[in-house]
Amino acid sequence: MENPIPPNYMFVRSLENGFLGKTCVVQEISTKKLKICKFAMKSKFGSQDAVQRFIERQDHIKSINSPFVVPYTDIYEKEDHLILIRDYLDSPPLNSDKFSDDIDYNSRLAMWKIIVRSFAHLHSHHIYPIYIRPSNLFYIDNKFLMITDIFTL
């Protein structure tokens, strides 16, 4: 499958492949903002109904306007794949070596409390992520937690 970048974005660089497929950094041409672009094969969802449920859940996640969730802002549906666009975070994820060197014990404890509260908040909106991956959790300025790439049942 060719993975064409949507016309309003410009390719910047490739990243490691994610859970659903290829991932790259793109730049929105009109705003110059960096974004993450993910390509997800529809076959990974199992059926067209599952694809539609996924899109509906992503729309629901975006609609709650949570201050700690980085939702997909654009979803392009192609014949055999989805293109998912979200904001780029210029901060190391929790599984980064840079992150682990920069945080003391008390900050780590506070961070895990924030993570638990954040997922409780998601659950209150009937959002139940199927994976909690350190690579999708970003702790910004030792104050804010940002969760990306939420995939639900």
Side-chain angles (χ1 to χ4, degrees), residues 8-10 21 23-24 29 37 41-42 45 51 62 88 98 104-105 108 114 117 121-122 127 150:
N8 44 339
Y9 296 94
M10 180 177 65
T23 303
C24 63
I29 294 169
C37 179
M41 294 299 296
K42 287 183 174 181
F45 295 96
V51 170
K62 184 168 63 172
Y88 173 81
K98 291 179 186 177
D104 63 50
Y105 175 79
R108 285 178 195 269
I114 292 169
R117 286 186 198 129
H121 178 73
L122 289 174
I127 298 169
I150 297 175

Side-chain angles (χ1 to χ4, degrees), residues 94 99-115 117 139-145:
L94 292 191
F99 174 81
S100 61
D101 292 341
D102 293 341
I103 190 163
D104 63 50
Y105 175 79
N106 289 332
S107 295
R108 285 178 195 269
L109 187 59
M111 174 201 58
W112 284 109
K113 287 180 182 178
I114 292 169
I115 290 171
R117 286 186 198 129
Y139 197 49
I140 310 219
D141 297 328
N142 291 334
K143 296 177 187 172
F144 307 103
L145 173 73

Side-chain angles (χ1 to χ4, degrees), residues 48-109:
Q48 185 58 35
D49 287 341
V51 170
Q52 289 309 311
R53 281 192 307 273
F54 174 81
I55 293 170
E56 289 167 8
R57 295 301 287 167
Q58 295 307 316
D59 288 341
H60 174 66
I61 290 167
K62 184 168 63 172
S63 75
I64 66 171
N65 292 318
S66 174
F68 55 83
V69 172
V70 182
Y72 293 112
T73 53
D74 295 303
I75 299 177
Y76 300 90
E77 187 170 3
K78 302 297 183 181
E79 184 176 327
D80 63 346
H81 65 283
L82 298 175
I83 301 173
L84 310 165
I85 306 283
R86 69 163 171 81
D87 288 342
Y88 173 81
L89 296 176
D90 190 17
S91 180
L94 292 191
N95 66 340
S96 166
D97 290 338
K98 291 179 186 177
F99 174 81
S100 61
D101 292 341
D102 293 341
I103 190 163
D104 63 50
Y105 175 79
N106 289 332
S107 295
R108 285 178 195 269
L109 187 59

